[in-house]
Amino acid sequence: MTETRITPALRMAEIQPELERLRRRGFLRRALSLGGLTLLTGCDLSTHSGIDAALEAILRFDDRIQKALFSPHRMAETYPASAITKPFRFNAYYAEWQVRPVPDNWALSVSGLVRDKREWPLAALMALPQQSQITRHICIEGWSQIGQWSGVPLGVFLRRVGADLSARYVSFKCFDGYSTSIDMASALQSQTLLALDFETGPLTPQWGAPLRLRIPTKLGFKSAKNLEAIEVTNTYPGGYWENQGYDWFAGV
């Protein structure tokens, strides 16, 4: 099969309709000035509500552009084992949380637009086809490091449970209270993993035991750790940081 080469011209052609629609609305002209914030909201900026609404609109614009640029055929760069960062810095370090035991009788729950809603214990996930990758983890805090993860391609899992692959979102909930969500195209991208191992062994708590999402085409906060539930849905599910103003698509 011949792989399509994604050129700057092709990407621009893909997003041109969206840019044109927003340009007609005058969105960009208004959003780039403080006066524009007032026009967007019709509110008194001294209350901050107008600024918040404008920033929310700009974030949604950014999400749409990133989605238009995304191609499931464009792979994140992979590296040789010699490039792995040692020691690897894990993200989301909170001393009071970091050593969390796996809940008793842990099993991954599946809900929403799927045919098979049975829970998945660790042994069942380990019996599915596995993939290993050495990719770069890019943190929104400004650092990045190269690590090795192995696990079940999320697309393989979604097909195994009979997920509706035309659904818009896949959301993830974690037993520490964290949550996030991604679009279906990103979920089906071949490098998106339900990771079971880090480097040469099973995940430990700081790496997201017993199961984490690993998605190298997005910023690190999307790679949720300590998973306990997956839902396939057409209702926008948001996420822990996304609900506090972070970019939802968060592509790199």
Side-chain angles (χ1 to χ4, degrees):
M1 180 181 294
T2 302
E3 183 174 330
T4 301
R5 183 169 179 264
I6 306 300
T7 66
L10 180 57
R11 291 182 186 173
M12 183 55 67
E14 290 175 346
I15 68 171
Q16 190 61 42
E18 178 70 12
L19 290 172
E20 181 62 25
R21 186 176 70 82
L22 291 170
R23 187 175 64 81
R24 287 197 302 268
R25 289 172 52 194
F27 177 88
L28 292 176
R29 290 193 300 273
R30 295 195 296 270
L32 292 174
S33 68
L34 186 62
L37 297 180
T38 308
L39 291 173
L40 276 169
T41 62
C43 299
D44 179 359
L45 293 183
S46 64
T47 67
H48 294 288
S49 61
I51 294 175
D52 290 344
L55 291 176
E56 175 71 16
I58 293 170
L59 278 173
R60 299 291 72 80
F61 167 75
D62 186 45
D63 278 337
R64 291 195 296 272
I65 294 302
Q66 289 188 64
K67 183 176 180 180
L69 286 170
F70 177 79
S71 168
H73 306 296
R74 180 174 176 267
M75 300 292 106
E77 185 174 0
T78 58
Y79 300 86
S82 60
I84 293 174
T85 304
K86 292 183 179 293
F88 187 94
R89 173 184 176 181
F90 51 84
N91 64 322
Y93 177 80
Y94 303 102
E96 67 274 23
W97 292 3
Q98 205 54 58
V99 181
R100 295 186 296 274
V102 176
D104 293 339
N105 302 316
W106 179 94
L108 181 68
S109 69
V110 182
S111 63
L113 302 174
V114 298
R115 185 173 60 251
D116 185 352
K117 293 183 171 65
R118 289 178 293 181
E119 292 188 333
W120 284 75
L122 202 56
L125 289 166
M126 293 173 65
L128 292 176
Q130 305 287 301
Q131 178 191 106
S132 182
Q133 62 177 243
I134 300 176
T135 50
R136 185 179 296 276
H137 177 98
I138 301 175
C139 183
I140 199 169
E141 295 174 348
W143 57 268
S144 70
Q145 296 189 332
I146 297 170
Q148 181 176 4
W149 291 266
S150 302
V152 183
L154 180 55
V156 169
F157 180 78
L158 291 174
R159 291 180 175 92
R160 183 63 63 91
V161 300
D164 179 358
L165 301 184
S166 67
R168 297 181 65 185
Y169 308 107
V170 183
S171 71
F172 305 86
K173 292 183 179 179
C174 310
F175 60 75
D176 63 358
Y178 191 76
S179 64
T180 192
S181 58
I182 59 177
D183 62 296
M184 181 60 77
S186 295
L188 297 178
Q189 201 262 9
S190 61
Q191 291 177 307
T192 302
L193 294 183
L194 293 176
L196 295 157
D197 298 330
F198 178 72
E199 294 187 346
T200 59
L203 295 175
T204 53
Q206 65 265 43
W207 308 121
L211 183 71
R212 71 172 297 169
L213 181 65
R214 171 59 189 156
I215 179 165
T217 57
K218 294 185 182 294
L219 291 171
F221 76 90
K222 302 297 282 190
S223 290
K225 301 191 291 189
N226 314 115
L227 292 180
E228 69 172 1
I230 293 178
E231 181 183 11
V232 178
T233 180
N234 282 317
T235 302
Y236 174 69
Y240 179 84
W241 286 116
E242 295 89 338
N243 294 345
Q244 299 181 60
Y246 277 45
D247 186 4
W248 177 77
F249 197 87
V252 296

